[in-house]
Amino acid sequence: MATFWTVLGSLSVVAAQTTINLQLSSSIPVGHSDYVSPSFAGFGFEPSNLFSFTGYSIPNELTFNLINNLVNYTGAPPHLRIGGNTEDYMIFDSSMMQYTWINNPDPSGQGAFKPNSMLIGPKFFEVANRFPKGTPVTWGLNLAYEESDYIDQIVTMAKQVVQNTPNLHLVSFEIGNEPDLYLQNGFRSGSWGGSPYIQDWTVRAQAIYDQVLKPAGIGANFFEPACTASTIGTSFQVHDLTQLGITQQANGTDTSFLASWNQHDYYYYIGVSAYPLTLDDFMTLTTTSDQFSAWVTQIQQAEVTGYPYALREMGVVGPIGLEGITNTFGAALWTLNFLLYSASLNITSVQLHQTDNSNASAWQPINVYNRDPFVRPAYYGYAAFDQVLGPSCETQVAQYTNIQYPTNYAGKIAAYSIYQAGKLQSVVMLNTQIANVSESTKGSVQFTMKWPTSFAGQTLHLGTLTGAGTDATSGTTWNGISYEQSGNGTPTQVSNTDQTVQIGSDGSATVTIRDSQAVIANLGAK
């Protein structure tokens, strides 16, 4: 007989109108992910904003507390990318000793923004080195710059990274940000595309290997092409670049230059996406998988090559978010779902892009828009994902792809099974139906999990990701924890309630989940 539990959250719910059935498998089903890295859920920091997040002469307490929370959950720091548009504007100046970047008084080269318009000095690497010891980092280098000293400039920058960030685990270099847009932004002209890109990229990769990596005992397979905004209709698709020779052997080695493929995506981009975005669209999770379909093709192409695939710049709404959507509790649900969804596709790592002025960033690190630093709801999606991932290198994710739900919940229900060391451990259930703060009574659905009968009698502990409503901009909690209440990003346990449900003799257990809420049912412990 099934056991029932209603997850109320902070507001009342009406009786569930429907039941969603999940048939669970004790063994990992077909279509599951490989092992998910504890560092999977990462952040990308725009280079021009790095000091905002790390702090200037004094470390940014909020940033490092929030990152350390995640380290405590997975046992490893999140994978960071230091890269973005401004990696293609920066060159190194050893005399520049300020805790900031400065404008080059005499920029040169082509492009709407000159490819040497920003100068950075030693302090840039000093503040990057503040991240937790062993933090895996992918670092972006300047491909746009092509003056006569371009090799000297990129080698100098790479050398600074390798020599002056000993606290970090430098995983890879990327050379250039979104070269598929170089014609549009004026960094290149003429017949620019996959072939000339490979020529420019390979010359720089070889020089970095010969002059920086090899002397440091690092192999040539240390680079991630092609860092594209989109490959649709371009010659930058994985199979195009492969056919054009980017996987060729590096001179003087027995490997190619590739460590991984690297691509970017934004769920929605203002001025590019040709439709208005509403909160209801955002909460319709199938719109995420629909938008991502071309990238799934790229993942499949990458699998053929034998090299992993990373999503090094992922955004919710670009370039700087959208008030009323990316700063809401809905973004917490979206983030949790996207991290699970992308892990299930065998993407090796995701870096959601962070800028100091974006409503889509997981936290605001400095005073912007006349508001002091604070934590946005999206951060809680990271916390929930990392807690369910746990301090394990043996976590695998499987998505339920054929869930039956009523038409009024179309696209707003998602579920995932989490396996630890090959054994079923958790079930993640999301109900993203719109339920705004103003609605004092909210709808709900019942999820009935059908566990194998061998699990009968065991206890499921329920962790809830909840807020006052889809459009709430503060007051989010995950598993009874607030990251806002302390004011500095450290966790505050605001509820110690351990909600549980027992698996019935027939293997069934039912949980009622409020609209705009997610619940993770975990075996054996909270």
Side-chain angles (χ1 to χ4, degrees):
M1 182 177 179
T3 302
F4 295 84
W5 188 271
T6 299
V7 181
L8 295 173
S10 57
L11 295 174
S12 61
V13 298
V14 299
Q17 299 300 305
T18 187
T19 297
I20 293 165
N21 296 303
L22 300 177
Q23 187 69 42
L24 311 185
S25 172
S26 58
S27 58
I28 305 176
V30 175
H32 63 83
S33 74
D34 291 334
Y35 293 132
V36 181
S37 166
S39 300
F40 176 89
F43 302 100
F45 295 113
E46 185 65 42
S48 61
N49 290 176
L50 181 64
F51 289 99
S52 295
F53 283 94
T54 61
Y56 294 77
S57 59
I58 299 172
N60 186 306
E61 182 183 33
L62 179 63
T63 290
F64 293 110
N65 284 340
L66 292 172
I67 288 179
N68 284 328
N69 293 338
L70 304 180
V71 177
N72 290 336
Y73 300 150
T74 67
H79 191 132
L80 306 182
R81 174 200 180 221
I82 299 175
N85 288 339
T86 54
E87 75 184 60
D88 275 329
Y89 308 162
M90 288 182 169
I91 61 172
F92 179 74
D93 181 350
S94 61
S95 68
M96 216 289 283
M97 298 302 294
Q98 298 161 257
Y99 281 99
T100 187
W101 58 267
I102 62 171
N103 288 312
N104 188 343
D106 189 27
S108 58
Q110 60 184 3
F113 295 92
K114 302 303 181 188
N116 61 350
S117 59
M118 293 181 174
L119 303 179
I120 61 171
K123 299 301 184 185
F124 193 88
F125 306 97
E126 178 186 313
V127 300
N129 200 49
R130 291 173 180 169
F131 288 109
K133 186 172 181 60
T135 295
V137 173
T138 296
W139 199 292
L141 302 173
N142 189 335
L143 174 65
Y145 185 79
E146 53 177 354
E147 300 297 289
S148 60
D149 63 342
Y150 74 90
I151 289 294
D152 289 341
Q153 290 291 351
I154 199 167
V155 165
T156 295
M157 189 73 81
K159 192 173 293 184
Q160 292 298 316
V161 178
V162 170
Q163 294 180 350
N164 295 316
T165 58
N167 204 48
L168 306 181
H169 174 208
L170 187 62
V171 170
S172 53
F173 283 130
E174 58 178 49
I175 302 175
N177 180 71
E178 299 178 354
D180 53 308
L181 302 180
Y182 273 16
L183 286 177
Q184 179 180 320
N185 60 33
F187 283 149
R188 294 293 189 273
S189 57
S191 57
W192 178 253
S195 184
Y197 160 74
I198 290 173
Q199 294 174 25
D200 286 3
W201 184 89
T202 302
V203 168
R204 288 162 174 80
Q206 187 72 54
I208 293 167
Y209 171 63
D210 290 339
Q211 299 183 50
V212 182
L213 300 179
K214 186 177 180 180
I218 301 172
N221 53 341
F222 202 73
F223 299 90
E224 296 186 0
C227 315
T228 45
S230 172
T231 60
I232 299 171
T234 76
S235 54
F236 286 90
Q237 293 191 63
V238 168
H239 71 69
D240 293 329
L241 297 178
T242 302
Q243 291 175 357
L244 289 168
I246 202 166
T247 59
Q248 66 185 330
Q249 187 171 308
N251 291 337
T253 76
D254 58 0
T255 70
S256 76
F257 288 116
L258 269 69
S260 171
W261 299 103
N262 170 328
Q263 291 184 344
H264 304 169
D265 182 35
Y266 281 78
Y267 166 75
Y268 185 91
Y269 208 94
I270 296 170
V272 176
S273 302
Y275 55 92
L277 180 64
T278 67
L279 188 57
D280 188 67
D281 295 331
F282 185 44
M283 290 293 89
T284 305
L285 300 179
T286 48
T287 64
T288 296
S289 52
D290 290 344
Q291 188 279 333
F292 203 65
S293 60
W295 281 258
V296 172
T297 299
Q298 293 303 293
I299 296 167
Q300 293 166 346
Q301 291 180 12
E303 287 176 349
V304 173
T305 70
Y307 294 100
Y309 178 99
L311 195 61
R312 291 286 184 234
E313 181 173 326
M314 181 63 203
V316 186
V317 176
I320 58 169
L322 187 58
E323 181 79 21
I325 292 180
T326 57
N327 64 327
T328 67
F329 173 68
L333 296 172
W334 187 93
T335 299
L336 174 59
N337 180 71
F338 187 81
L339 292 171
L340 290 162
Y341 167 69
S342 54
S344 75
L345 296 174
N346 276 328
I347 296 173
T348 57
S349 185
V350 172
Q351 282 65 47
L352 282 157
H353 201 57
Q354 313 292 306
T355 63
D356 60 15
N357 64 341
S358 175
N359 276 313
S361 295
W363 66 95
Q364 184 173 294
I366 59 173
N367 187 297
V368 180
Y369 310 124
N370 296 315
R371 185 172 180 185
D372 288 336
F374 67 97
V375 182
R376 289 190 178 88
Y379 175 80
Y380 291 79
Y382 274 90
F385 177 85
D386 277 357
Q387 278 200 10
V388 77
L389 200 64
S392 166
C393 293
E394 297 182 298
T395 305
Q396 292 171 281
V397 179
Q399 182 183 20
Y400 292 91
T401 56
N402 296 306
I403 298 174
Q404 299 298 313
Y405 41 70
T407 55
N408 61 320
Y409 281 87
K412 293 186 170 69
I413 298 294
Y416 302 84
S417 285
I418 310 298
Y419 292 82
Q420 298 283 1
K423 297 179 180 179
L424 181 59
Q425 178 63 42
S426 309
V427 181
V428 183
M429 298 160 282
L430 297 102
N431 173 4
T432 61
Q433 181 74 285
I434 292 284
N436 287 329
V437 175
S438 60
E439 300 171 42
S440 59
T441 301
K442 294 173 168 61
S444 62
V445 294
Q446 285 183 344
F447 284 77
T448 293
M449 299 168 279
K450 191 62 180 294
W451 294 69
T453 54
S454 58
F455 290 88
Q458 295 194 43
T459 300
L460 297 172
H461 297 254
L462 308 181
T464 305
L465 179 60
T466 191
T470 311
D471 59 349
T473 58
S474 62
T476 302
T477 61
W478 151 247
N479 214 5
I481 300 169
S482 169
Y483 303 96
E484 303 160 62
Q485 194 169 103
S486 65
N488 64 6
T490 54
T492 302
Q493 195 76 41
V494 295
S495 172
N496 287 308
T497 301
D498 185 12
Q499 298 177 337
T500 61
V501 59
Q502 191 175 56
I503 300 172
S505 59
D506 62 351
S508 60
T510 297
V511 177
T512 301
I513 302 179
R514 195 202 72 191
D515 291 349
S516 194
Q517 199 173 67
V519 170
I520 298 175
N522 188 59
L523 274 172
K526 188 174 180 179

